[in-house]
Amino acid sequence: MTDYNSTEMMTVTAARALKNEDVCFVGIGMPSAACNLARLTHAPDITLIYESGTIGTKPDVLPLSIGDGELCETAVNTVPVTEMFRYWLQGGKISVGFLGAAQLDKFGNINTTVIGDYDNPKVRLPGGGGAPEIATSCGEIFLVMKQSKRGFVEKIDFVTSLGYGKGGDDRASYGVTTKGPSRLITDLCIMEPHPTDKHFIVTSIHPGVSRDDIIAATGWQVEFAEEVAETPVPSAHELQVLRELHARTNAAHEGQ
Amino acid sequence: MSLKDAIATCVQNGDTIAMEGFTHLIPHAAGHEIIRQQKRDLTLIRMTPDMIYDQLIGAGCARKLVFSWGGNPGVGSLHRLRDAIENGWPCALEIEEHSHAAMANAYDAGAAGLPCAVFKGYRGAELPRVNPNIKFIECPFTGERLAAVPAIRPDVAVVHAQKANRKGDILFEGIVGVQKEAVLAARKSIITVEEIVDDFTDIPFNAVMLPNWAVTAVVHVPGGAHPSYAQGYYKRDNAFYKAWDTIANDRERFRDWIEQHVMQGGPQDFETRLKAQQTKAEA
């Protein structure tokens, strides 16, 4: 068996969630590595879109920001940011939004705004950026996030972006017609929403991870599916491509 | 016109200023001039306030920030912004927070002469609870519930572009963000450019361009976006964005940096800095 770490396991599993025909809005942070890994392995024709306006971008190294020149140079087209949010996102042209979070609840609601009270925050986070509308306008949402009790909480401090709201049909009550967070990929497992109540259920566990590990790293009461799969391990090829991508990225960012 | 004169003439204390640039073409040199001239009580508007707004806020120029994502992309927090919000240092900072979609639509509405922007946004999101400038209206035709935010109408828009010609027409290329909308929405505008050419030949018919009569001041500042970048001229200085994390994380270190690199400096330093970066890259 090839040696890999839990972050690599998470990134490879997240990448595998994407299909070659997807049009994917890439959120800042962790999603970028997964989306580009998918493009460099099983989904060479995937359309990756960054909120800076770059459509169909194929960066050789991961961008530090969502507007690095590399994204524009390798894109099919670069449109104004107004057009990106109005025509492409709001217009319903994007099949998948890939997002990360600082805090997440069991219904896939996301907080990237504040820890603590909004007016008197313990930690002021960067804010929503594109996420509030990515979360409601893309066909479906994939979430990727390292699991911890601090991050996976019963109640998030601020609802930056809607998941399934209070569960059940709550999402639709806001006039939202898209599917919502259909998959949550962590460094320990994969979770998918309950068919009607919409709370996340563990459907696949990464090799070497126990149920207790997941319970210990989750702030809500974890539910497991009747049949829980074992997540397939990363292939040697996937690991090689991912490591080369990170090596190129580090060299590019440090060398400047 | 010199940058000093452009800022002195166009920017007054208490003004609402939009300095735009979506990672690309951020008007750093113009920002430094505002700090040097010690403008005060500004309302700063920007979708992605990053290092230059961190500097303006830390230097005490701002009273209020209107924004949708305030961080150092890929690096972490803006320490001066956080210090102002969390501790009121060096002065209290009021914030008005939106999403990107809201701000992009609000700039579009400003440029279009509309009082507000209407869009499918903030559905199920909590910002409407804390920001009274987010409201919902009903579509008069379908009854659909839509978000509305006021149009952005800055006193001054400040942006950086690649080229101007002798007449003062402006060419932007690459990631163009909301710069055109910000300029058209503003009462006055200052455009710093990498290069001034005699005329524009062989450029695509639809290249994003502002005619000279739609802008107030054009100033030649080579390197004026550094450490941001100008596509076709120089790359983003990602190493400096990382270094900023350490500089900004300490009030004294930040003050020393501003004193040395902004108060004692000038627009000409940007070209020098760029050359130093390029020499380092070649070495």
Side-chain angles (χ1 to χ4, degrees):
Chain A
M1 196 167 90
T2 323
D3 253 359
Y4 56 87
N5 64 39
S6 62
T7 306
E8 289 172 330
M9 179 73 208
M10 175 172 70
T11 309
V12 168
T13 306
R16 286 175 178 174
L18 291 164
K19 299 187 296 291
N20 197 36
E21 55 275 21
D22 274 328
V23 176
C24 177
F25 207 114
V26 185
I28 196 160
M30 212 122 27
S32 192
C35 293
N36 281 289
L37 177 62
R39 180 178 62 78
L40 294 168
T41 53
H42 66 279
D45 299 320
I46 190 169
T47 297
L48 299 184
I49 294 181
Y50 286 74
E51 63 194 10
S52 53
T54 52
I55 298 179
T57 184
K58 299 176 173 63
D60 186 48
V61 301
L62 295 175
L64 185 67
S65 82
I66 36 68
D68 282 19
E70 174 95 5
L71 296 174
C72 175
E73 284 160 14
T74 61
V76 172
N77 189 16
T78 299
V79 300
V81 166
T82 43
E83 180 180 322
M84 173 51 64
F85 282 96
R86 288 168 64 80
Y87 302 171
W88 300 94
L89 181 62
Q90 182 178 259
K93 308 288 190 289
I94 299 173
S95 62
V96 181
F98 221 127
L99 296 174
Q103 248 189 359
L104 190 73
D105 69 20
K106 66 180 173 189
F107 292 117
N109 301 301
I110 295 172
N111 176 17
T112 52
T113 304
V114 286
I115 302 298
D117 180 57
Y118 184 83
D119 292 314
N120 194 10
K122 251 185 268 172
V123 182
R124 177 61 232 199
L125 301 167
E133 284 77 19
I134 294 172
T136 54
S137 293
C138 294
E140 65 187 310
I141 297 297
F142 296 158
L143 298 171
V144 59
M145 187 172 160
K146 279 196 182 185
Q147 225 167 317
S148 73
K149 265 213 156 91
R150 276 175 65 198
F152 285 51
V153 296
E154 183 65 35
K155 189 175 178 342
I156 57 179
D157 291 349
F158 193 88
V159 182
T160 310
S161 309
L162 180 69
Y164 294 106
K166 297 182 182 71
D169 296 332
D170 196 42
R171 181 177 167 89
S173 75
Y174 297 100
V176 179
T177 53
T178 52
K179 205 169 159 186
S182 55
R183 209 171 304 194
L184 164 60
I185 298 119
T186 81
D187 51 337
L188 305 177
C189 65
I190 301 173
M191 299 193 207
E192 290 173 78
H194 181 276
T196 53
D197 183 65
K198 300 295 184 187
H199 62 272
F200 280 128
I201 295 171
V202 177
T203 54
S204 182
I205 299 179
H206 302 341
V209 175
S210 72
R211 291 188 175 212
D212 285 344
D213 293 337
I214 297 170
I215 291 165
T218 311
W220 64 75
Q221 201 176 344
V222 182
E223 191 176 320
F224 295 89
E226 271 180 35
E227 281 182 38
V228 177
E230 184 178 78
T231 318
V233 294
S235 72
H237 177 63
E238 285 166 323
L239 285 172
Q240 188 194 343
V241 172
L242 179 61
R243 285 168 190 176
E244 285 172 0
L245 177 63
H246 281 309
R248 282 199 302 277
T249 301
N250 290 338
H253 293 173
E254 296 306 329
Q256 283 171 8
Chain B
M1 194 186 269
S2 71
L3 186 58
K4 192 176 170 188
D5 290 345
I7 298 292
T9 326
C10 297
V11 179
Q12 310 304 323
N13 288 343
D15 272 358
T16 295
I17 315 281
M19 307 180 73
E20 274 295 348
F22 211 93
T23 300
H24 183 213
L25 295 173
I26 295 166
H28 275 267
H32 284 188
E33 189 59 41
I34 291 175
I35 295 173
R36 254 192 311 277
Q37 295 191 18
Q38 299 184 42
K39 302 289 183 190
R40 288 292 177 268
D41 296 322
L42 302 176
T43 292
L44 298 176
I45 305 179
R46 180 142 171 233
M47 292 181 68
T48 52
D50 63 1
M51 188 192 298
I52 190 61
Y53 272 21
D54 210 32
Q55 293 171 0
L56 282 153
I57 290 164
C61 301
R63 180 185 68 78
K64 182 178 174 183
L65 175 71
V66 182
F67 75 109
S68 43
W69 196 89
N72 185 348
V75 178
S77 292
L78 293 175
H79 299 293
R80 295 298 96 228
L81 169 62
R82 275 186 59 178
D83 203 9
I85 294 178
E86 293 169 13
N87 309 307
W89 193 93
C91 47
L93 182 74
E94 187 189 337
I95 59 167
E96 177 179 331
E97 184 168 4
H98 287 281
S99 68
H100 279 350
M103 288 198 68
N105 276 283
Y107 274 118
D108 177 90
L114 289 167
C116 72
V118 174
F119 64 109
K120 292 188 190 184
Y122 291 126
R123 293 179 170 183
E126 202 171 337
L127 272 182
R129 183 179 66 78
V130 295
N131 180 351
N133 268 343
I134 301 169
K135 297 194 185 303
F136 291 90
I137 60 165
E138 200 173 89
C139 168
F141 305 103
T142 63
E144 187 174 1
R145 192 169 180 262
L146 299 165
V149 293
I152 293 175
R153 292 279 177 76
D155 292 310
V156 191
V158 184
V159 299
H160 187 78
Q162 276 97 346
K163 282 189 182 79
N165 63 18
R166 298 265 168 226
K167 284 194 282 184
D169 304 318
I170 308 293
L171 175 70
F172 296 95
E173 288 179 297
I175 291 174
V176 292
V178 291
Q179 282 95 309
K180 184 175 172 174
E181 291 79 2
V183 167
L184 294 179
R187 286 197 298 120
K188 286 178 276 185
S189 55
I190 300 169
I191 326 285
T192 55
V193 294
E194 286 300 322
E195 188 180 6
I196 295 186
V197 297
D198 285 334
D199 50 49
F200 290 144
T201 47
D202 300 327
I203 65 161
F205 295 127
N206 303 96
V208 176
M209 204 159 82
L210 287 162
N212 63 75
W213 51 266
V215 305
T216 313
V218 180
V219 188
H220 185 208
V221 188
H226 179 269
S228 166
Y229 70 104
Q231 193 99 40
Y233 290 82
Y234 48 93
K235 286 190 168 178
R236 191 172 193 265
D237 190 350
N238 282 332
F240 189 75
Y241 276 88
K242 289 181 178 172
W244 182 250
D245 193 61
T246 312
I247 297 166
N249 202 5
D250 179 87
R251 289 175 184 174
E252 283 313 307
R253 209 179 300 131
F254 166 78
R255 278 195 160 150
D256 290 347
W257 190 91
I258 290 286
E259 183 57 33
Q260 193 185 339
H261 297 278
V262 181
M263 301 314 283
Q264 305 296 326
Q268 70 284 351
D269 299 339
F270 281 79
E271 196 172 16
T272 316
R273 241 171 256 161
L274 208 57
K275 280 184 184 147
Q277 184 197 343
Q278 279 156 355
T279 314
K280 195 178 145 204
E282 282 157 21

